[in-house]
Amino acid sequence: MAMKWAGSWVLATVLAVAGLAKAAVVEYHFKVAYMSAAPDCYSKTIIGINGGYPGPTIRATQGDTVKVTFENHVVTEGITMHWHGIRQIGSPWADGTAAISQCPILYGESFTYEFIVDRPGTYFYHGHFGCQRAAGFYGPLIVDLPKDKHEPFTYDGEHMIILNDWWHRSIVGQEQGLESINFAWVGEPQSLLLEGRGRYNCSNVPEYKPAGLSCNQSDERCAPHVWSVERGKTYRLRLASVASLSSLNFKIEGHSMKVVEADGHSIEPFWTDNLDLYSGETYSVLVKADKQGDNFHLGLNVRGRNDEQVPTGLGILNYKDKPVQQPTTPAPKGPAWNDFEASKRQAKTYKALQNNPDPTSHPFDASAPVTRTLVLLTTQNKVEGRIKWSINNLTYAPLQTPLLAGLVYNISGAYDTTPPPDYPAHGYNIFAPPEPPHTNVGSGMYQFNTGDVVDVIIQNAAALNNVSEIHPWHLHGHDFWILGYGEGQFDPAESPKSYDLKSPPTRNNVATFPFGWTAVRVHLDNPGAWPFHCHVEWHFHMGMGVVFTHGIDSVRARGIPNSVLGCGLTKQLFSLPSP
Amino acid sequence: MAMKWAGSWVLATVLAVAGLAKAAVVEYHFKVAYMSAAPDCYSKTIIGINGGYPGPTIRATQGDTVKVTFENHVVTEGITMHWHGIRQIGSPWADGTAAISQCPILYGESFTYEFIVDRPGTYFYHGHFGCQRAAGFYGPLIVDLPKDKHEPFTYDGEHMIILNDWWHRSIVGQEQGLESINFAWVGEPQSLLLEGRGRYNCSNVPEYKPAGLSCNQSDERCAPHVWSVERGKTYRLRLASVASLSSLNFKIEGHSMKVVEADGHSIEPFWTDNLDLYSGETYSVLVKADKQGDNFHLGLNVRGRNDEQVPTGLGILNYKDKPVQQPTTPAPKGPAWNDFEASKRQAKTYKALQNNPDPTSHPFDASAPVTRTLVLLTTQNKVEGRIKWSINNLTYAPLQTPLLAGLVYNISGAYDTTPPPDYPAHGYNIFAPPEPPHTNVGSGMYQFNTGDVVDVIIQNAAALNNVSEIHPWHLHGHDFWILGYGEGQFDPAESPKSYDLKSPPTRNNVATFPFGWTAVRVHLDNPGAWPFHCHVEWHFHMGMGVVFTHGIDSVRARGIPNSVLGCGLTKQLFSLPSP
């Protein structure tokens, strides 16, 4: 049954993509280097692309081949780029995950990613090595429908805003703090940014010339982001959260939003005046510019963590017929940061679009038998005095040889074949920290067969400080169906009875709420090595992730390019060329 | 003649080394990671080794094989380690120069350097990728004579102090400023450090919590370095300058120093009360602890650049029979920073030790014919709006494929075969900036034959701001003889008449003074690819260097390990192993 499903679905996709009129090759050239920026008026050295921040918009049409060549000028650092939400069907080596899909692109090197964008929608790209995403290394990626096709919703114009959280300290210092026995947490962000712009209160920062830094609120680089609209028109606003930590809530003063797309998938539309975005999520909302007034706040707030220290991130919705002005009304606020019920209500609102006309939409088939079930208990632990996050008592540590290369070339010693267990230890109490706090370290690989249909339950629990927080999980290479969310400990006998098996939304990001569980179903139809991890940059760096692998024989048969090799044990594959 | 000389000298070395009683293998394991440090009381994230700073002392006996395994935990960054002053005879791949001798050791990787320490003396090691040396990535390396051999000087005890200059800004921001069209110079250092310790006046730095940094003068990590001595004894004080910019002058309050070793070579001893150290230089001085008093300042000052903003770096010489106390006397000062005549006088004082008993000393043979002469004019230029340093109108840019691998594997396109010219443009006026300021970019490779005896004249000139400053030049893989220093423009007919062909000192570092020239002679007897560059970290990063290559056939015959490959075009050498 699973194989039949796999076959029919893959066939449908291939036919759909192949059937598109004029698949083109869309090329970009990205020169990556450190640059000086002041996103929230406070100057900082960030990783920029082509001298700008955020990175350029990549735009292509469904079925196109996208080729992006990177020139790495970031002194001494490697880089990789992940195409978040693009499944990389047939190109698992191009997923851009250091230690998993490729060796980093080294300082001085060039490297070209090449992949097909098989599905229309709103996506983004971001660095996936260390915590470079938090250094500003990201940008938007939009896939349009071919001209002769239409979305199941209409609009007159569109606009995209990338949302994130921002710290003044360099990622080097932040990473060092997280890795230390003398643990130093990054703390709440100094600012929230809309399209890379915020405004920090510089009077908090005295001048300190020796550091060569500045904070200047009249710096044009931190002028608020302005979205200009024509009165009376309806807009598609594309939103993406690349936040390193914060769950976000987005509001448009005085305007309601009709949510129509989530993670590149059409959903049953619903209206809201505030939208939750967990890190890694993308949305399209329709907004009608039909209000009295000229300028309105765009407002961004923190959800799920105490937001007292984090001022609302602000942008401006401007009606084009009037000059741009910062509104003097109070900054818009969504639900209280700790109103978790509001967040859960909204999360549960998402349903797959009924009668979706998109042939690439992945229809849910409740009759497909589930071949394996994982319950992933996420806990906070300690390894040799350092704080780590674990999945079923295994914390993920990056490999020196990318897992995909290790598997494809069958390199002895390149990876750890012991997976984390499929289930947590029997009787684990999710309401208390692990005792003892020790955890194991590994490469966290679950091996599957292509065609498997897997239910994955992520079980949230108490951290070492007894708090349980929101974790946004993201899967590479596949989408999944969100079957449901539950409170407390997952009960294998009872909990699945609450699953939505009728119209679960298809996504590649999902939140787990404090002391609760989230269940997703994934059809493993795209061979490769794919991380499934908490999208909080700091949490993944502390080991909060696993890797799903399957179909390595088929990857080996297609081959992976030499350009993704060069690190770790792949050096064993060098040979002296004949003279 | 040259070949005869080469033969006899190499033979002498090999015999000398082979003849040593018990050559041992000395092993070290270095775990490299970012760490929090406060060398001058101001907290900063630096690159530490085994959790400490400066790095551990490597100590071996002449003829030993030193093996140092690096585990790189510096998130996203590659690292390399250069063994400054160790010629790497027969092991050119272990010289630790990124883009020249090896691919960087990547984050997560391990790599082992293995080399013979053929000559006793005082050395150090430091990172040689980007500007990582300036992030604190260095430590001392001492090679002892075998127990049955004796230095041509005696002492009762010894002590080593590494000297350097220190900035509060991260190297990431510093590099970004140097590379920008909107050029931002690093400026003078905030502090001068003795053995990684200084004291910044924290009242200059207001608190700024958001950055997660601190400045605390009672932080024990910035307590002054103390050298404790027994009254009446004579000490060998080993000194090394790893400075990123500053030329340094070292003084011991109330004590004179007898200089006996320079760059690992015994010299004709001389007495001084202040010692100039240019970046890259090492010295041994004998100090007699025979003064009235209990505690004396160790003082470090800047030479050759305006030192008004740079307080004297201070340590303490303590007579062990009395408690340690910071002296209340004024900080010791050497000659005025702009007393260049004093520096030149001291530089010219160095002479080879007459009747040196060390069989590994490289005797100067004035009768050996010079096979090639280079005059390297060093200018400051511009490339696409960016400020660069050039040698004969070519600025050095690191290659993506290490030059040694490119040459050994004959990789097409891996390097640039056009060398900089052997001479500057005829009639170039060294007293004015280049006009037009444009320069060419390349890999700066001079190709020689093994056995060549080359005279290299480094010609200093006006920078773009009309100032000419001190540049300390360092050669890898070889020592050279310093033939002389001269004022103004080098005259091929007249200037060589002033050469010291009788007892020129053997070294691997030499300074050029403002608007002057320095002549060295080098016997190219150690095959490989060897940078010759300004040892100011910022200047080399701006292109101030060339590479000398020779004897590649012999390197190829010995082979280079796969572990130094993996980057750039060496990926062409990968092959799929048979299944």
Side-chain angles (χ1 to χ4, degrees), chain B residues 33-304:
Chain B
Y34 273 115
M35 62 178 275
S36 174
D40 68 347
C41 308
Y42 181 105
S43 73
K44 184 173 171 180
T45 304
I46 70 161
I47 301 181
I49 301 174
N50 295 343
Y53 163 77
T57 299
I58 291 181
R59 191 141 201 160
T61 300
Q62 186 187 23
D64 284 353
T65 294
V66 173
K67 288 175 76 166
V68 190
T69 298
F70 284 78
E71 263 184 49
N72 179 5
H73 296 262
V74 186
V75 185
T76 74
E77 296 192 50
I79 56 172
T80 67
M81 188 56 84
H82 173 57
W83 314 93
H84 189 105
I86 306 298
R87 285 169 296 168
Q88 301 292 348
I89 295 173
S91 51
W93 59 269
D95 192 43
T97 49
I100 299 169
S101 66
Q102 70 170 115
C103 294
I105 309 163
L106 302 185
Y107 174 51
E109 287 185 351
S110 286
F111 177 88
T112 301
Y113 290 95
E114 183 172 348
F115 53 88
I116 291 170
V117 288
D118 64 301
R119 205 180 54 219
T122 305
Y123 307 98
F124 63 101
Y125 56 85
H126 63 82
H128 212 295
F129 188 21
C131 299
Q132 290 179 338
R133 188 178 96 219
F137 193 29
Y138 47 76
L141 193 167
I142 296 171
V143 182
D144 293 309
L145 272 173
K147 287 212 167 45
D148 58 344
K149 300 241 176 3
H150 301 285
E151 305 277 6
F153 46 87
T154 59
Y155 48 93
D156 305 308
E158 65 162 88
H159 187 73
M160 178 150 182
I161 306 178
I162 282 200
L163 309 173
N164 75 323
D165 44 8
W166 195 252
W167 284 260
H168 293 167
R169 201 162 179 207
S170 78
I171 57 166
V172 157
Q174 291 177 305
E175 290 161 346
Q176 191 271 323
L178 296 178
E179 293 171 5
S180 292
I181 290 180
N182 186 10
F183 183 74
W185 175 237
V186 298
E188 298 307 311
Q190 271 74 59
S191 300
L192 299 178
L193 308 184
L194 290 88
E195 198 60 12
R197 288 157 181 272
R199 183 155 298 200
Y200 186 70
N201 182 353
C202 289
S203 67
N204 292 346
V205 190
E207 268 202 86
Y208 43 100
K209 289 264 172 62
L213 301 173
S214 67
C215 193
N216 173 7
Q217 277 176 304
S218 57
D219 192 323
E220 63 173 16
R221 295 176 295 177
C222 60
H225 176 67
V226 178
W227 173 26
S228 285
V229 293
E230 258 181 81
R231 210 172 285 275
K233 302 236 157 141
T234 296
Y235 288 86
R236 176 185 194 167
L237 176 63
R238 299 176 188 263
L239 297 165
S241 170
V242 297
S244 295
L245 171 65
S246 317
S247 300
L248 299 172
N249 183 271
F250 178 78
K251 276 193 77 126
I252 310 175
E253 185 183 25
H255 293 70
S256 212
M257 299 174 275
K258 187 182 186 184
V259 189
V260 293
E261 182 212 351
D263 296 356
H265 292 273
S266 292
I267 53 156
E268 274 296 304
F270 69 93
W271 287 91
T272 186
D273 73 341
N274 74 87
L275 181 73
D276 286 336
L277 298 98
Y278 303 100
S279 176
E281 294 183 343
T282 61
Y283 292 95
S284 285
V285 299
L286 302 183
V287 179
K288 190 143 196 204
D290 62 354
K291 298 297 174 292
Q292 297 293 327
D294 311 328
N295 291 284
F296 297 85
H297 282 300
L298 305 172
L300 196 60
N301 291 288
V302 169
R303 304 282 298 122

Side-chain angles (χ1 to χ4, degrees), chain A residues 7-23 61-64 87 89 116-120 144-146 148-149 356-363:
Chain A
S8 60
W9 150 233
V10 169
L11 190 65
T13 306
V14 169
L15 285 178
V17 172
L20 295 167
K22 302 168 201 137
T61 300
Q62 185 185 22
D64 284 353
R87 286 169 296 169
I89 295 173
I116 291 169
V117 287
D118 64 300
R119 207 180 52 220
D144 293 310
L145 272 172
D148 58 345
K149 299 240 171 8
N356 190 339
D358 178 6
T360 66
S361 77
H362 196 156

